[in-house]
Amino acid sequence: MFKGILITKDDAGYRAQVQPIDDAVLQEGDVTVRIECSTLNYKDGLAITGRAPVVRRFPMVPGIDLAGEVIDSGNAAWKVGDRVLLNGWGVGETHCGGLAQVARLRGEWLVPLPDAFTTRQAMAIGTAGYTAMLCVLALEKHGLQPGDGEILVTGANGGVGSVGIALLAGLGYRVVASTGRLADAAHLKALGADDVIDRQTLAVPGKPIGKERWAGVLDTVGSHTLANACATTRYRGAVAACGLAQGMDFPATVAPFILRGVTLYGIDSVMAPLAVRQAAWRRLARDLDLAKLAAMTREIGLDEAPSVAAQLLDGKVRGRVVVDVNR
Ligand code: NDP
């Protein structure tokens, strides 16, 4: 038995409760990990509250991220004592995940914990931070350079947005943060934003094409925000789209793409190949300012996770949340 959050769905409804969990709940896997920390991402909020059907099997342990130590391995790539982390692969959705003290996993899903990070720091980054880095890598691959102009980051106070600002600013880009929480402008500037704008300027229906402003965009919000961001991206600029915090819709026209040669990159972290993940984590180890990471992160125990997950979906959580699964 071990402690964790268990999601059940039956005649009595959809529930996520911290409770003792029997090993038998865990699915097959060739590596068992004793988890030290997990985290809360937007998708964990959806899973824990049941606000969207991301959980595909019941009972389920949520948690799309985890970091800890291998305690049993039948996989030649891993041995007892190895320090590992995991992001995605359907863990916390179809396979029992990280918001518990133990996980049984497939060895090919694991990434070695970079020497640069403790398990806490790795989970402060989590899928949110690793996805922010995937966005940065897409913009770089496009050829974007710091001298090219302003980069818009939407959902700036969220997990992906906060890490995205810190990364881009650290690399020398001029960053404009879009947020609904203008009262937090000083915090966003401390993370590296040069300017902060009200998200309402982007969230309402706009014109098919507008005045050119952004050399690049890191969008976590989707919907009208993404459409307006594309419409105001400069000639041959690039937009990396990873999120849907405003909505899954994309009420845009092709105008920015065919008149300005704007490129829209879709970013998926969940099924990204191992080599892409390793490259992203290497770059996080090189480029992320750990003092900024600490400034955007708070830590909670497992018991607090269900209520904080609901706050996260309501846009009331700033930055990142680490979950110590052993307290
Ligand atoms: P958070 O909840 O931490 O942040 C989301 C932020 O979006 C909020 O803090 C808020 O920022 C902004 N926001 C919330 N509601 C709205 C709204 N109605 N309109 C406009 N902005 C809004 O989530 P994450 O940072 O963890 O994730 C961000 C998005 O990225 C999510 O949609 C998530 O599902 C997606 N994602 C996708 C991944 C992938 O693989 N493609 C991986 C990770 C995340 P503010 O208060 O500053 O306005």
Side-chain angles (χ1 to χ4, degrees), residues 62-80:
I64 66 171
D65 289 323
L66 60 88
E69 188 174 311
V70 173
I71 53 170
D72 187 42
S73 175
N75 184 308
W78 303 106
K79 61 179 190 316
V80 172

Side-chain angles (χ1 to χ4, degrees), residues 33 66-68 70 77-78 82-89 105-114 117 122-123 130 272-282:
V33 175
L66 60 88
V70 173
W78 303 106
D82 283 346
R83 312 276 288 160
V84 294
L85 66 87
L86 176 142
N87 308 113
W89 292 117
L105 305 156
R106 285 169 53 179
E108 60 266 33
W109 293 341
L110 298 169
V111 170
L113 183 73
F117 301 128
M123 290 296 97
Y130 142 65
L274 192 60
V276 172
R277 291 165 189 265
Q278 287 171 331
W281 277 99
R282 268 196 306 275

Side-chain angles (χ1 to χ4, degrees), residues 250-266:
F250 182 40
T253 76
V254 296
F257 311 113
I258 63 172
L259 299 179
R260 292 205 180 133
V262 168
T263 302
L264 178 57
Y265 290 95

Side-chain angles (χ1 to χ4, degrees), residues 40-100:
L40 291 176
N41 296 280
Y42 193 84
K43 195 183 266 179
D44 300 313
L46 294 175
I48 289 170
T49 60
R51 278 194 217 172
V54 298
V55 174
R56 301 289 179 183
R57 169 200 182 264
F58 299 92
M60 174 57 55
V61 177
I64 66 171
D65 289 323
L66 60 88
E69 188 174 311
V70 173
I71 53 170
D72 187 42
S73 175
N75 184 308
W78 303 106
K79 61 179 190 316
V80 172
D82 283 346
R83 312 276 288 160
V84 294
L85 66 87
L86 176 142
N87 308 113
W89 292 117
V91 170
E93 300 178 67
T94 56
H95 189 103
C96 287
L99 286 163

Side-chain angles (χ1 to χ4, degrees), residues 1 36 56 76 88 97 114 116 125 132-133 151 165 208 228 234 244 302:
M1 300 289 284
E36 289 173 14
R56 301 289 179 183
I125 296 166
M133 183 47 101
I151 311 291
I165 291 168
N228 288 326
R234 285 161 53 170
L244 42 58
L302 205 48

Side-chain angles (χ1 to χ4, degrees), residues 17-58:
Q17 285 171 320
V18 178
Q19 61 183 81
I21 299 174
D22 198 305
D23 279 18
V25 166
L26 300 178
Q27 292 125 299
E28 278 186 24
D30 52 9
V31 179
T32 306
V33 175
R34 181 168 52 230
I35 300 169
E36 289 173 14
C37 295
S38 183
T39 173
L40 291 176
N41 296 280
Y42 193 84
K43 195 183 266 179
D44 300 313
L46 294 175
I48 289 170
T49 60
R51 278 194 217 172
V54 298
V55 174
R56 301 289 179 183
R57 169 200 182 264
F58 299 92

